[in-house]
Amino acid sequence: MAEIAPAFWDLATKTDARAPQVIDGWLPPKTPAGEDFPFLIVRPRDGTDASESADQDSQATVEIIIGTFSDTVDGWLDVLLVVDAIRLSLAAAPALGGAFEHVGPLKWSLPEEHARPQWLGIVTTIFRLPRPLRVEARNPPDPRSEA
C-alpha cells in the first residue's frame, strides 16, 4: 500500500492536504496535535491452513480500511478513487514482499452511514502465503533422548 499513498498527495485533512498515512493493524492512540485522516490501515482479519500437509500454502484475509476527510457532499468519491488504485495495484503486481500473493476475490464496501466529514471504505481480499514448517520439522527430537 505504500506505493499507492503518494499518488493521493492532495487528500484533504482538517487544515491542509497530504498523502494518506499507511498504518499496520490499528490506528495509534490519538494525540492532541495529531490528525488521523487520511489513512490506509492494512489489517489481517483471519487465516486458514486448509490441509495438514506441509506443502500446501495458507491463506489470509486482509482488510484495508480507507479513511478520507472532506466536508463536501461528494467526499465519498475520494474513497472510491483510493479503492480503484488498490484494485489496479494488486492486479498489476499481485506479489507482495516475495512471499505474499494476492489471489482474491477482492470486495469493497462503503458503510451506509458516515460521520461526515470523515469518509470510510473497506477493501477485503485474500492473500496466499507460505505455510510455516511443521513443528517437528523445525524442532526435531533430540537423538540423545531416544537411547
Side-chain angles (χ1 to χ4, degrees):
M1 298 303 103
E3 70 278 355
I4 293 171
F8 295 94
W9 58 271
D10 64 345
L11 286 176
T13 69
K14 289 180 184 176
T15 57
D16 58 358
R18 69 168 185 230
Q21 56 182 325
V22 179
I23 302 165
D24 290 334
W26 281 259
L27 280 173
K30 267 192 182 268
T31 61
E35 186 170 2
D36 296 331
F37 287 82
F39 60 76
L40 297 173
I41 299 173
V42 181
R43 176 183 300 169
R45 191 173 74 192
D46 58 48
T48 305
D49 288 335
S51 175
E52 291 301 319
S53 62
D55 61 345
Q56 299 295 315
D57 286 332
S58 301
Q59 290 188 338
T61 302
V62 175
E63 290 181 334
I64 304 164
I65 296 101
I66 303 159
T68 63
F69 186 94
S70 177
D71 205 15
T72 65
V73 295
D74 62 353
W76 56 273
L77 287 172
D78 289 339
V79 173
L80 287 186
L81 289 172
V82 176
V83 167
D84 199 43
I86 292 169
R87 292 174 60 231
L88 291 171
S89 176
L90 290 174
L96 301 176
F100 307 104
E101 180 185 8
H102 177 250
V103 294
L106 184 143
K107 295 176 9 180
W108 59 268
S109 63
L110 298 177
E112 288 190 33
E113 299 294 324
H114 284 275
R116 186 174 153 189
Q118 300 170 350
W119 302 88
L120 296 174
I122 301 170
V123 173
T124 305
T125 193
I126 296 175
F127 283 87
R128 181 181 307 138
L129 51 146
R131 185 178 170 120
L133 300 174
R134 293 189 330 233
V135 173
E136 306 87 55
R138 286 193 277 164
N139 300 309
D142 185 352
R144 296 173 292 176
S145 64
E146 294 178 6

